[in-house]
């Protein structure tokens, strides 16, 4: 589904990703953990070209997104992204937030798009908020809407960039529940997270990143219980 | 009665107001005000259009493409950015009086375009430089997560600008744009340099016909104050409405 080949990314003189090679299968749930500054988010953001790779290759499906001739907007329709700070559009209602992209990009009529939106709102349990503006929602509700907005394009892959890091503790659960539901449906996902329990529970594969590299990977339960690398042990001893 | 008024206000004042009514100078003032408003409206429209285009040229990044096309794009971007910057610097660095006379006598010297349109273009081009800075600041003030969210859904840069960034930036810019509009109402007073028939010109005509300088100027000033006051008031209530709707 996604193939990453020797991915490098530098910001000026700072090399954030130092050669990542990985492969994500359809239906896989890849959870990415690691200390801050290890390049987790940058890695994720390269996959839908939010960040432009310095070198290396990324294939989404069979399209090389680092090929300069390719239209990234077509790929992004298939790769949903959920951000740490939700990034809902504050000047639009919840319904408008969700229907904007399907109407503009898929050519759905307003009615069709709203049908899709209401189904998704049911899924995240917020149908009654359809006509509210984002500033009237709690953090957890905003993030659930952001997930619904992303799903409205019917993506094949979902990228989650620390989806619960900006939430108050009591709202983390409702967002994780929604993500778990997606896992059960078989959505292919990559999730950068600090929620270790969640990572262990839903991940089919865990990546531990440090200093721009994938230092260790494997079945989440095994990595948590038996980390091989010293750096992984040190990190896990601090967060668990 | 008239004697009492004359004693209270002074002979000259009474004579002035008598002439004002008899010779229907108020018509001149009303025409002048309409001229000023029309000119300001044309200038504001042109200013906002130029402002948006120049601001976007200054902010945007052209897509990278391989080969000759990429080379061309890179240079087009460089040249456009240079022109935009030059435009803003030249306009903001020279007096508007010079610009308007230059446009009237040099650029449109041979044409039969009406003065109000030439004046509107001159003030619009002038205002565009300031508008572009206002709009640029407004766009830059929007959280970059908004652009990322739009792009991540697959929207093009220009569509994200149009549907997501601009509507939000516009709300933030509105007060500054209105104050630019109010500045324009007053600034257009110098359109008489190219023979415009605006409010200031109406004042000058009245001065020369009545040989009275102080009263016509006070009346003209009050007319300007009335116009700017009304617009400031309208826009304040619009602003309030915008803010309460979210």
């Amino acid at each position: 589904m996604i193939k990453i080949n020797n991915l490098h990314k530098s910001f000026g003189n700072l090399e954030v990703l130092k050669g990542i090679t990985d492969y994500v299968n359809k239906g896989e749930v890849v959870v990415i953990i690691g200390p801050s500054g290890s390049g987790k988010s940058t890695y994720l953001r390269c996959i839908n070209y939010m960040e432009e790779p310095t070198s290396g290759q990324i294939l989404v499906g069979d399209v090389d997104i680092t090929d300069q001739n390719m239209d990234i907007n077509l790929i992004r329709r298939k790769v949903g992204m959920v951000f740490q700070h939700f990034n809902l559009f504050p000047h639009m209602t919840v319904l408008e937030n969700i229907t904007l992209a399907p109407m503009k990009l898929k050519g759905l009529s307003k009615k069709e798009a709203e049908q899709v939106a209401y189904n998704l709102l049911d899924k995240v349990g917020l149908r009654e908020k359809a006509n509210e503006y984002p500033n009237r929602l709690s953090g957890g509700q905003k993030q659930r809407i952001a997930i619904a907005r992303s799903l409205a394009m019917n993506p094949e892959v979902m990228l989650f960039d620390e989806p619960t890091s900006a939430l108050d503790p009591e709202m983390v659960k409702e967002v994780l529940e929604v993500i778990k539901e997606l896992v059960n449906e078989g959505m292919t996902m990559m999730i950068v997270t600090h929620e270790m329990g969640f990572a262990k529970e839903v991940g089919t594969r865990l990546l531990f990143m440090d200093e721009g590299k994938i230092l260790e990977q494997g079945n989440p339960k095994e990595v948590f219980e038996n980390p091989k690398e010293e750096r992984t042990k040190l990190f896990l001893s601090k967060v668990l | 009665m008239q004697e009492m008024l004359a004693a209270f206000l002074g002979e000259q004042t009474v004579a002035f107001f008598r002439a004002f009514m008899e010779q229907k100078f108020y018509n001149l003032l009303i025409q002048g005000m309409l001229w000023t408003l029309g000119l300001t409206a044309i200038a504001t429209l042109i200013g906002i259009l130029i402002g948006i285009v120049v601001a976007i040229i200054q902010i945007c990044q052209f897509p990278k493409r391989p080969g000759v096309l990429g080379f061309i794009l890179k240079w087009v971007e460089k040249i456009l950015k240079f022109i935009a910057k030059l435009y803003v610097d030249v306009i903001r660095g020279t007096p508007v009086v010079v610009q308007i006379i230059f446009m009237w006598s040099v650029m449109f010297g041979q044409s039969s375009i009406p003065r109000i349109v030439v004046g509107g273009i001159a003030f619009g081009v002038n205002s565009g430089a300031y508008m572009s800075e206002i709009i640029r600041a407004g766009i830059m003030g929007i959280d970059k997560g908004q652009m990322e969210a739009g792009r991540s859904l697959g929207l093009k840069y220009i569509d994200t600008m149009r549907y997501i960034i601009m509507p939000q930036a516009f709300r933030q810019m509105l007060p500054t744009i209105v104050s630019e509009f109010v500045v324009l109402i007053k600034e257009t007073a110098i359109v008489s340099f190219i023979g415009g028939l605006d409010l200031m010109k109406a004042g000058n005509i009245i001065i020369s016909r009545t040989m009275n300088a102080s009263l016509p100027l006070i009346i003209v000033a009050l007319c300007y104050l009335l116009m700017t006051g009304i617009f400031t008031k309208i826009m304040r209530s619009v602003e309030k409405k915008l803010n309460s709707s979210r």
Side-chain angles (χ1 to χ4, degrees), chain B residues 24 30 112 132 173 175 182 225 234 236:
Chain B
K24 297 195 172 143
I30 289 168
S112 59
S132 77
M173 291 180 300
V182 170
L225 203 57
I234 291 174
R236 274 203 193 124

Side-chain angles (χ1 to χ4, degrees), chain A residues 89 92 96-105, chain B residues 155 163-164:
Chain A
F89 309 135
M92 296 180 185
E96 288 165 345
N97 262 275
I98 301 175
T99 54
L100 176 73
M103 281 166 66
K104 298 295 170 211
L105 299 174
Chain B
L155 290 166
Y163 298 114
I164 296 163

Side-chain angles (χ1 to χ4, degrees), chain B residues 28-245:
Chain B
L28 269 176
L29 286 176
I30 289 168
Q31 274 167 23
M33 277 206 267
L34 290 177
W35 224 91
T36 294
L37 284 178
L39 185 65
T40 308
I42 296 174
T44 307
L45 272 180
I46 295 174
I48 288 178
L49 284 179
I50 294 179
I52 290 174
V53 173
V54 171
I56 287 180
I57 287 175
Q58 286 182 322
I59 290 170
C60 78
Q61 284 177 341
F62 278 43
K64 284 184 185 167
R65 290 283 181 275
V68 186
L69 181 65
F71 185 78
I72 295 170
L73 276 177
K74 207 177 97 190
W75 276 98
V76 170
E77 177 177 12
K78 271 192 181 170
I79 292 167
L80 281 178
K81 285 200 163 145
F82 176 76
I83 293 173
K85 191 162 185 313
L86 188 70
Y87 160 73
V88 172
D89 287 350
V90 167
I91 294 291
R92 297 210 303 177
T94 55
V96 63
V97 172
V98 176
Q99 293 162 23
I100 190 172
I101 297 178
F102 182 83
M103 204 161 280
W104 175 245
S105 47
V106 181
M107 290 179 75
F108 292 95
Q110 312 299 324
S111 72
S112 59
I113 303 171
R115 283 164 214 268
I116 191 166
V117 176
V118 175
I121 293 172
F123 280 108
V125 168
N126 177 269
S127 174
Y130 295 90
M131 287 285 190
S132 77
E133 293 293 295
I134 295 170
I135 292 167
R136 196 164 69 105
I139 294 174
M140 304 279 261
I142 302 299
D143 177 27
K144 77 180 196 336
Q146 293 289 310
M147 178 54 87
E148 288 185 351
R151 297 304 308 274
S152 80
L153 289 166
L155 290 166
K156 287 186 196 130
Y157 176 86
I158 197 81
D159 287 336
T160 313
M161 269 289 168
R162 183 170 152 204
Y163 298 114
I164 296 163
I165 307 295
M166 285 310 247
Q168 294 181 60
F170 186 70
R171 278 184 190 203
Q172 289 196 356
M173 291 180 300
L174 197 61
T176 334
I177 287 181
V178 172
S179 69
E180 173 68 15
F181 183 80
V182 170
V183 167
L184 262 181
I185 291 181
K186 298 177 293 174
E187 247 183 14
T188 53
I190 57 171
V191 79
S192 52
F193 272 92
I194 63 165
L197 301 171
D198 70 321
L199 180 56
M200 188 62 214
K201 180 73 182 177
N204 278 330
I205 294 171
I206 300 171
I207 290 174
S208 63
R209 292 214 193 137
T210 59
M211 306 305 276
N212 185 331
S214 59
L215 283 172
L217 279 177
I218 290 171
I219 291 170
V220 164
L222 287 174
C223 288
Y224 276 113
L225 203 57
L226 181 74
M227 290 192 289
T228 54
I230 287 172
F231 276 101
T232 311
K233 189 138 192 161
I234 291 174
M235 290 326 284
R236 274 203 193 124
S237 68
V238 169
E239 232 175 275
K240 229 182 214 170
K241 237 178 214 164
L242 278 179
N243 287 335
S244 67
S245 79

